[in-house]
Amino acid sequence: MAKSWVSLRKGIIGKKKSRDGAILLWMALPFILLVFAFSYVPLFGWIYSFYNFKPGIPLDKTPFVGLDYFRILVTEGREDVIRVLKNTLTLSFLLILCSPLPALLAILLNEVKSKRFRKIIQTTTTLPNFISWVIVFSLAFSMISSEGLVNKVLINWHIIKEPLNVLGNSGTVWPFQTAINIWKNVGFGSIIYIAAIAGIDNELYDAAKVDGASRFKSIVHITLPGISSTFFVLLLLQVSNILSAGFEQYLVFYNSLVSNKIEVLDYYVYKLGIVTSDYSYATAIGMLKTVISIILLFSVNYISKKARGTSII
Amino acid sequence: MKIKEDNLGGRIFNILNYAGLTLLFIICIYPFYYIFIYSLSDPVEAQKGITLLPAKVTLNNYIEIFQLKNMFHSFVVSVLRTAIGTGITVFSCSLFAYIVSKEELPYKKIIYRFVIITMYFNAGIIPYYLTMKMYHLNNNFLLYVVPSAISAFYVVLLKTFMEQLPPALEESAKIDGAGYFTIFTKIIFQVSTPIIATIAVFAAVTQWNSFIDNFLLVQNPKLRTLQLVLFEYFNQASQIASASKEDLARGTVVRKITPETIRMTITMVVTLPILCVYPSMQRYFVKGLILGAVKG
């Protein structure tokens, strides 16, 4: 009697559990469908790169061309592809070179005694991260375009005679775009390092002080090792993202004077696909880009696992 | 206990550090300030050159900007997409995070991974464009608010937070017979305020700043957002200039307003909402991010 009571109770709990599970599953379903519809379904679009796709014609009436577009990519399209790859890789590489800057800002902020001053700097340097690239362009335009404030002031002070056209100078566009990117992101990027520094045991600093270590020595021997793993992870992620130099930035700063140097892979895909409606070819390039990026991500993850014993994704 | 550390080198370093950071402060904030004073100045005076103070302060530029064709309408579209889009994102991500934080959910791991993995790949701009067209989301307000409903990154942050909550929070409600949805809205959503506020700020800023979806897929001027208005202003400066001339001819714009002032004032209108929410929300997102970074 007692035994069956227990098993009955178990049965009820079990049933209740599975009923709970079913309810949860039903609740999760709409979100799973949303993710499927907006993140997975577009992947099926990759199939267009094997067809000569024209909008309005159903896929079963579209001629299958196999790897034709990939062949075009390495023959007729080669020059263009090499040009935009060079732009993309150069801009990414310059940003990777500058990747210690957020860490540097965090260290410098950490050395500031006045809490208030630190807070003000942190708040203001983070602000540019929260505005759109359109606004960044508008600010840049009013400050440094040939009619901008900086030129006006420099001419007024007789430092220059002719206005400098930084936005239309193809010789300096790479460092200039890198600088703009740093202006927008350095403050926000430093937050994670500030968190990492805050996580360092204070006793280490106290012990170093007692041992007579200078501030500089404390930074080198305590702070830097304390943030190195954060730096390493971010660096690897940046490397895996090397083919995505950032579409919006170059879309807003694009102009005919600098187009040769500023046209990155994403912009090229956009131009081919949406401006000239060469959907299939553009999809082929975009697909290659994603595949290479994923391979890069797994490779850096593998490196991280080997070198540090932890995975980054 | 004050150990002597203010030797000469230390003091020089301090001075340089403060000077450098102050310079950075100016570089980051002055462009905003310049545009702000320009938008407040009389257009003709401003053209003569201002650097630190507005000349002949007036709010007329703002009044006139909103009389430009479609400007007010675009403002409303931007506000709506931000409000609705943020609401949808916050609700979807937090409810989904709550669901996948429950042990009772069958296939919990698979479902969670299915969503999280989307952080690492992206079909690309053309498949995105064609898929949205296939769903008939082009020239549709839903394009702004539905595809962004679930963001893997927010789900990670929310789930990590919710897993730290003591289970006792839910137990009494469960004994009272409350369902998951009730527990979520009455308890979990309430106690997760710090992380939800963080995500709401991020989502709102992202929504307000978005213009690529609008740029690629929405040609209907009735659905144009402020960001795109500004972008197009730079792209087709001449067109808008002639549009404002048209307005001038019709007498809707009474005063003389220069293209620079139009540009600066639109920029300010687009930036002001961010400037207003930003300082008060900053402590939330720093806290929330650190929370997510440390625990995630």
Side-chain angles (χ1 to χ4, degrees):
Chain A
M1 178 73 188
K3 214 176 172 185
S4 64
W5 189 184
V6 169
S7 68
L8 184 70
R9 232 180 87 110
K10 256 190 191 157
I12 292 173
I13 291 176
K15 255 194 198 140
K16 184 163 184 310
K17 268 225 159 121
S18 71
R19 207 201 57 177
D20 282 356
I23 293 174
L24 282 170
L25 209 52
W26 276 109
M27 285 168 79
L29 191 65
F31 303 117
I32 297 173
L33 288 178
L34 267 177
V35 172
F36 181 74
F38 291 112
S39 295
Y40 286 87
V41 171
L43 292 179
F44 294 112
W46 282 359
I47 202 167
Y48 295 135
S49 60
F50 305 107
Y51 287 86
N52 185 359
F53 175 72
K54 294 270 183 305
I57 302 170
L59 205 59
D60 54 316
K61 294 205 179 88
T62 304
F64 180 79
V65 295
L67 294 175
D68 267 12
Y69 286 108
F70 296 90
R71 205 171 310 131
I72 294 176
L73 186 76
V74 291
T75 53
E76 294 153 54
R78 198 170 67 188
E79 256 171 58
D80 276 343
V81 172
I82 288 178
R83 180 174 52 88
V84 296
L85 261 185
K86 194 178 143 203
N87 293 340
T88 312
L89 293 177
T90 313
L91 286 161
S92 290
F93 180 70
L94 285 173
L95 278 179
I96 288 176
L97 272 188
C98 296
S99 59
L101 288 177
L104 179 69
L105 175 61
I107 292 172
L108 293 179
L109 275 172
N110 196 46
E111 292 301 313
V112 168
K113 290 269 150 53
S114 154
K115 230 179 163 184
R116 193 134 172 243
F117 183 76
R118 193 163 54 196
K119 189 116 206 280
I120 292 173
I121 301 291
Q122 226 183 313
T123 309
T124 47
T125 52
T126 317
L127 175 62
N129 183 268
F130 288 90
I131 56 166
S132 66
W133 277 109
V134 183
I135 298 289
V136 174
F137 179 72
S138 178
L139 295 177
F141 193 85
S142 11
M143 298 307 291
I144 50 186
S145 70
S146 40
E147 308 119 70
L149 178 72
V150 172
N151 271 314
K152 268 189 203 159
V153 169
L154 290 179
I155 290 173
N156 270 349
W157 289 352
H158 301 289
I159 297 174
I160 52 170
K161 287 219 168 66
E162 289 290 304
L164 305 167
N165 186 5
V166 193
L167 296 175
N169 184 339
S170 75
T172 55
V173 70
W174 284 338
F176 171 68
Q177 289 301 323
T178 308
I180 294 267
N181 195 301
I182 289 165
W183 178 80
K184 190 171 192 299
N185 293 318
V186 71
F188 191 73
S190 71
I191 290 180
I192 192 155
Y193 290 108
I194 289 170
I197 293 174
I200 298 174
D201 194 347
N202 254 329
E203 278 179 26
L204 286 175
Y205 288 104
D206 291 340
K209 248 188 210 169
V210 172
D211 288 346
S214 68
R215 251 156 92 188
F216 183 70
K217 275 204 164 145
S218 295
I219 292 176
V220 173
H221 294 290
I222 303 172
T223 314
L224 285 186
I227 60 174
S228 64
S229 70
T230 308
F231 178 73
F232 194 67
V233 170
L234 294 178
L235 183 69
L236 287 180
L237 284 177
Q238 223 179 340
V239 169
S240 73
N241 253 332
I242 200 160
L243 289 180
S244 320
F247 174 58
E248 287 188 31
Q249 179 181 358
Y250 306 113
L251 176 70
V252 298
F253 278 95
Y254 190 91
N255 64 55
S256 56
L257 291 172
V258 295
S259 59
N260 246 335
K261 291 286 189 74
I262 210 178
E263 197 178 326
V264 292
L265 199 56
D266 284 333
Y267 189 92
Y268 183 61
V269 170
Y270 151 76
K271 199 177 78 176
L272 278 177
I274 291 170
V275 181
T276 60
S277 294
D278 203 345
Y279 293 113
S280 295
Y281 185 43
T283 306
I285 299 177
M287 178 177 129
L288 266 187
K289 187 203 132 181
T290 304
V291 171
I292 294 174
S293 298
I294 290 176
I295 293 172
L296 276 173
L297 181 68
F298 279 104
S299 322
V300 297
N301 193 41
Y302 179 78
I303 296 172
S304 162
K305 263 191 197 155
K306 281 273 158 193
R308 304 167 49 245
T310 50
S311 122
I312 54 173
I313 54 173
Chain B
M1 184 181 78
K2 194 168 167 44
I3 296 171
K4 78 160 174 79
E5 56 165 336
D6 285 69
N7 53 9
L8 187 64
R11 249 180 282 163
I12 292 176
F13 170 79
N14 267 344
I15 292 169
L16 288 179
N17 193 16
Y18 274 81
L21 290 173
T22 308
L23 185 69
L24 188 68
F25 168 80
I26 294 170
I27 294 173
C28 283
I29 214 70
Y30 182 74
F32 294 98
Y33 179 74
Y34 176 67
I35 290 203
F36 180 62
I37 56 172
Y38 206 109
S39 73
L40 285 179
S41 301
D42 181 84
V44 181
E45 292 293 315
Q47 234 173 4
K48 290 178 193 157
I50 48 170
T51 46
L52 289 176
L53 290 170
K56 279 200 193 167
V57 177
T58 166
L59 281 176
N60 247 318
N61 300 332
Y62 286 90
I63 297 166
E64 277 168 19
I65 278 298
F66 278 109
Q67 284 167 0
L68 285 180
K69 228 165 90 194
N70 287 334
M71 189 61 76
F72 185 71
H73 195 88
S74 293
F75 183 76
V76 174
V77 172
S78 279
V79 169
L80 280 180
R81 85 167 280 176
T82 305
I84 299 172
T86 307
I88 290 180
T89 303
V90 167
F91 174 78
S92 311
C93 290
S94 52
L95 179 55
F96 182 71
Y98 173 66
I99 295 169
V100 286
S101 73
K102 295 275 100 189
E103 284 305 326
E104 301 93 284
L105 175 70
Y107 315 112
K108 178 181 152 173
K109 263 212 168 118
I110 300 174
I111 293 175
Y112 185 60
R113 291 221 175 117
F114 176 80
V115 173
I116 298 314
I117 208 165
T118 59
M119 266 200 285
Y120 301 108
F121 68 81
N122 181 343
I125 186 169
I126 307 299
Y128 160 79
Y129 175 83
L130 294 172
T131 311
M132 296 302 135
K133 275 201 153 169
M134 184 177 86
Y135 294 153
H136 295 289
L137 285 175
N138 53 324
N139 288 320
N140 189 335
F141 183 77
L142 292 178
L143 173 76
Y144 299 150
V145 295
V146 175
S148 54
I150 292 278
S151 149
F153 178 61
Y154 299 158
V155 171
V156 174
L157 290 181
L158 284 158
K159 180 174 169 269
T160 349
F161 185 90
M162 288 173 184
E163 278 170 348
Q164 318 277 325
L165 296 173
L169 267 177
E170 297 181 40
E171 262 153 27
S172 62
K174 228 183 237 166
I175 290 166
D176 290 345
Y180 286 113
F181 192 72
T182 319
I183 294 175
F184 169 73
T185 50
K186 293 270 155 64
I187 301 170
I188 304 297
F189 197 81
Q190 318 282 339
V191 296
S192 306
T193 322
I195 193 78
I196 284 178
T198 309
I199 280 159
V201 181
F202 271 105
V205 169
T206 312
Q207 277 290 353
W208 182 260
N209 284 341
S210 294
F211 77 102
I212 291 289
D213 45 8
N214 186 180
F215 173 67
L216 294 177
L217 284 151
V218 179
Q219 282 80 40
N220 184 351
K222 289 242 139 60
L223 291 173
R224 194 177 296 146
T225 60
L226 270 187
Q227 301 280 349
L228 193 72
V229 169
L230 187 61
F231 180 63
E232 288 188 340
Y233 186 86
F234 285 106
N235 253 2
Q236 310 149 0
S238 53
Q239 258 184 41
I240 301 220
S242 62
S244 59
K245 248 182 224 148
E246 225 174 82
D247 282 334
L248 275 170
R250 266 191 278 122
T252 40
V253 180
V254 264
R255 265 180 159 219
K256 199 174 175 210
I257 182 162
T258 60
E260 285 81 43
T261 296
I262 296 182
R263 206 175 60 226
M264 305 278 187
T265 314
I266 302 178
T267 305
M268 217 52 229
V269 170
V270 182
T271 318
L272 265 178
I274 299 223
L275 292 179
C276 293
V277 253
Y278 173 72
S280 60
M281 287 308 210
Q282 208 229 7
R283 77 199 160 99
Y284 271 126
F285 75 73
V286 172
K287 246 190 229 160
L289 263 194
I290 290 172
L291 222 80
V294 172
K295 291 176 180 157

